[in-house]
Amino acid sequence: MIEITKLDKSRLSLDQSTFEAFDLAVRGEVLTSEHGGYDEARRVFNGMINKRPALIARCTGVADVIQCVNFARENSLLTAVRGGGHGAPGNAVCDGGLMIDLSLMNGIRVDPQARVAWVEGGAALGDVDHETQAFGLAVPAGVVSTTGVGGLTTGGGYGWLRGKHGMTIDNLLAVEMVTPDGQFRRASETENTDLFWAIRGGGGNFGVVTTFEFRLHEVGPMLMVCNPMYAAEHAREVMRGWRAFMENAPDEFTTEFFFWTIPEFPHFPEETHGQDVVIPCGVYNGPVEEGEKFVQPLRELAPMLVDGSAPMRFVDIQSMFDIYLPYGDVICYWKALYMDRLDDDMIDTFVEHFLDRPGKQCPLVLHDLRGASGRVPADSTAFPGRHW
Ligand SMILES: Cc1cc2nc3c(=O)[nH]c(=O)nc-3n(C[C@H](O)[C@H](O)[C@H](O)COP(=O)(O)OP(=O)(O)OC[C@H]3O[C@@H](n4cnc5c(N)ncnc54)[C@H](O)[C@@H]3O)c2cc1C
């Protein structure tokens, strides 16, 4: 007998034959806490989350997802869907219910002529970059390679290519998904259009996406990275300098402004370990020589502590932060908001709060949402943040 939690929080006892029938219907493994691999499968990025599902279905394809969705609906089960497991609140896993684990569904197919990629719902960004960069192509997505395509895309998705090519959802051509009624549907600009609107920014609330179809762009393979680190005592002047610089920056240049503490890694000089810094970090999505020349003023905003600026392969740029964000070991609580301007008072507030933060491990990051990502009409997708 397996005790499983229902949506109304009551408990249902699954007898052995019901469990075996479900186990048989799903081609991937169905794990209980008795099985090896259970703890690894329920582990998510945020080390603060420690939930124990009654069942973890490790789906291998669309048929498994249909079986899971039907089983969950017919038994009114508390259900969670895991893509890459990066969601900070830990919604990829649930206590006592059914976890639909898509992580084995990470296949990718690229048509380099048509510049289209088909990506399964459990793939990570690194999987996509690996396959697409083989053809010098890329999907505009996030900046950490272990992040899942599933949660990132349904949430909007932005990374280093957003200035020139927009958000991830702006490059989504279609999805295939299993909706809560167990039906397999395709949604695009011409099919199930309301569903297509909703899953572009509305999160994982409308069904399980089994395949994302993306438009690809020519990128790299080498791009210029701007990564100058300035001591926090220069934070105000650096932030003002970055703000002024970005006013006339072309779509090719996308930045993330970091407030950070240099960790004790051997690639940083020992005397800088533990120092608070600000970093106008950016990637120039164009010819390297052009980018190198363009970013130079951002490397001269104040005396520099460390300069990580260099031409890099796009696939390496996409994983350059991974080392600081080990899966399952980061304890995180995030807050975010959209700002319609960055005036001097706000800069002062950022700096004051950074210097007064609860722990050295708390970074602050500002993402610029300029260029192509800001030119898409506000009501064309469910993503709420690009216009205010
Ligand atoms: C270290 C780190 C770096 C990040 N960097 C970026 C970034 O650069 N840009 C950016 O835009 N975001 C970024 N994010 C945020 C990230 O996009 C979201 O946390 C996203 O929800 C993670 O998706 P996931 O599939 O990995 O997570 P999960 O925790 O598996 O899923 C998150 C939510 O999406 C749902 N979901 C996942 N897959 C599917 C699917 N196939 N079908 C339907 N629903 C699904 C889940 O049920 C859950 O509700 C980052 C997050 C972390 C932790």
Side-chain angles (χ1 to χ4, degrees):
M1 203 72 96
I2 293 169
E3 288 280 305
I4 191 160
T5 303
K6 297 179 67 169
L7 275 174
D8 63 5
K9 303 278 187 257
S10 64
R11 305 281 283 166
L12 174 74
S13 299
L14 286 185
D15 58 39
Q16 193 60 21
S17 63
T18 309
F19 169 71
E20 280 174 12
F22 177 58
D23 190 21
L24 210 63
V26 175
R27 196 168 125 211
E29 275 184 298
V30 178
L31 307 175
T32 68
S33 58
E34 305 295 309
H35 290 88
Y38 171 83
D39 283 330
E40 193 50 37
R42 71 186 178 89
R43 194 161 166 256
V44 290
F45 175 83
N46 186 353
M48 204 161 76
I49 307 293
N50 181 22
K51 295 186 197 163
R52 302 181 64 83
L55 297 176
I56 302 177
R58 309 209 69 201
C59 297
T60 58
V62 174
D64 283 0
V65 175
I66 292 173
Q67 291 293 344
C68 288
V69 170
N70 285 339
F71 185 69
R73 188 190 60 256
E74 284 157 12
N75 293 290
S76 304
L77 300 182
L78 177 68
T79 304
V81 178
R82 182 201 190 276
H86 262 224
N91 293 335
V93 59
C94 56
D95 257 330
L98 169 68
M99 176 178 178
I100 302 176
D101 178 4
L102 304 177
S103 58
L104 300 178
M105 291 174 57
N106 59 1
I108 289 144
R109 188 163 72 81
V110 176
D111 180 338
Q113 268 73 45
R115 296 200 174 170
V116 173
W118 291 267
V119 176
E120 279 192 295
L125 303 188
D127 301 327
V128 181
D129 289 325
H130 179 72
E131 293 299 329
T132 53
Q133 274 288 281
F135 304 100
L137 301 169
V139 178
V143 304
V144 172
S145 77
T146 51
T147 308
V149 174
L152 178 130
T153 306
T154 53
Y158 45 82
W160 296 122
L161 306 180
R162 64 181 173 268
K164 193 161 175 190
H165 300 303
M167 299 180 62
T168 309
I169 49 173
D170 304 333
N171 295 282
L172 186 63
L173 299 171
V175 290
E176 290 173 348
M177 62 193 291
V178 179
T179 45
D181 54 3
Q183 294 301 305
F184 179 69
R185 299 176 202 274
R186 191 179 150 85
S188 68
E189 289 291 2
T190 53
E191 306 140 282
N192 293 306
T193 50
D194 50 350
L195 196 53
F196 192 54
W197 180 87
I199 54 104
R200 286 177 294 164
N205 292 306
F206 308 96
V208 183
V209 179
T210 50
T211 301
F212 294 91
E213 186 178 318
F214 290 111
R215 181 188 305 117
L216 299 171
H217 300 275
E218 251 181 61
V219 173
M222 297 295 286
L223 298 179
M224 180 65 194
V225 176
C226 172
N227 198 11
M229 303 184 190
Y230 298 99
E233 68 199 73
H234 301 295
R236 284 182 178 79
E237 64 192 280
V238 172
M239 219 174 166
R240 286 187 193 131
W242 166 69
R243 179 184 61 188
F245 184 82
M246 291 309 290
E247 264 165 31
N248 297 313
D251 289 356
E252 278 76 4
F253 192 52
T254 292
T255 55
E256 316 254 294
F257 191 98
F258 290 96
F259 291 81
W260 197 48
T261 301
I262 297 183
E264 291 179 14
F265 279 85
H267 54 271
F268 294 116
E270 213 174 311
E271 64 277 12
T272 65
H273 291 174
Q275 286 221 36
D276 290 342
V277 289
V278 288
I279 316 169
C281 187
V283 172
Y284 189 87
N285 180 14
V288 169
E289 313 73 53
E290 201 177 287
E292 198 159 6
K293 217 165 128 196
F294 176 76
V295 305
Q296 189 55 32
L298 281 181
R299 299 162 77 184
E300 297 168 359
L301 294 174
M304 217 189 312
L305 204 59
V306 181
D307 191 7
S309 306
M312 287 173 71
R313 292 190 318 152
F314 180 66
V315 279
D316 296 331
I317 295 172
Q318 288 293 88
S319 55
M320 68 182 175
F321 298 145
D322 290 12
I323 184 174
Y324 311 118
L325 298 160
Y327 193 96
D329 291 341
V330 181
I331 308 287
C332 47
Y333 174 78
W334 295 359
K335 274 187 180 177
L337 80 165
Y338 295 99
M339 305 182 316
D340 60 356
R341 64 190 191 289
L342 181 61
D343 57 32
D344 285 351
D345 287 349
M346 292 161 84
I347 289 180
D348 287 345
T349 306
F350 269 111
V351 175
E352 281 157 25
H353 281 266
F354 176 63
L355 296 176
D356 191 32
R357 67 204 189 283
K360 283 265 185 195
Q361 69 276 29
C362 299
L364 294 181
V365 189
L366 280 85
H367 310 263
D368 78 56
L369 285 179
R370 303 165 55 261
S373 57
R375 290 196 286 269
V376 175
D379 58 0
S380 64
T381 70
F383 182 77
R386 62 175 107 219
H387 301 272
W388 35 77

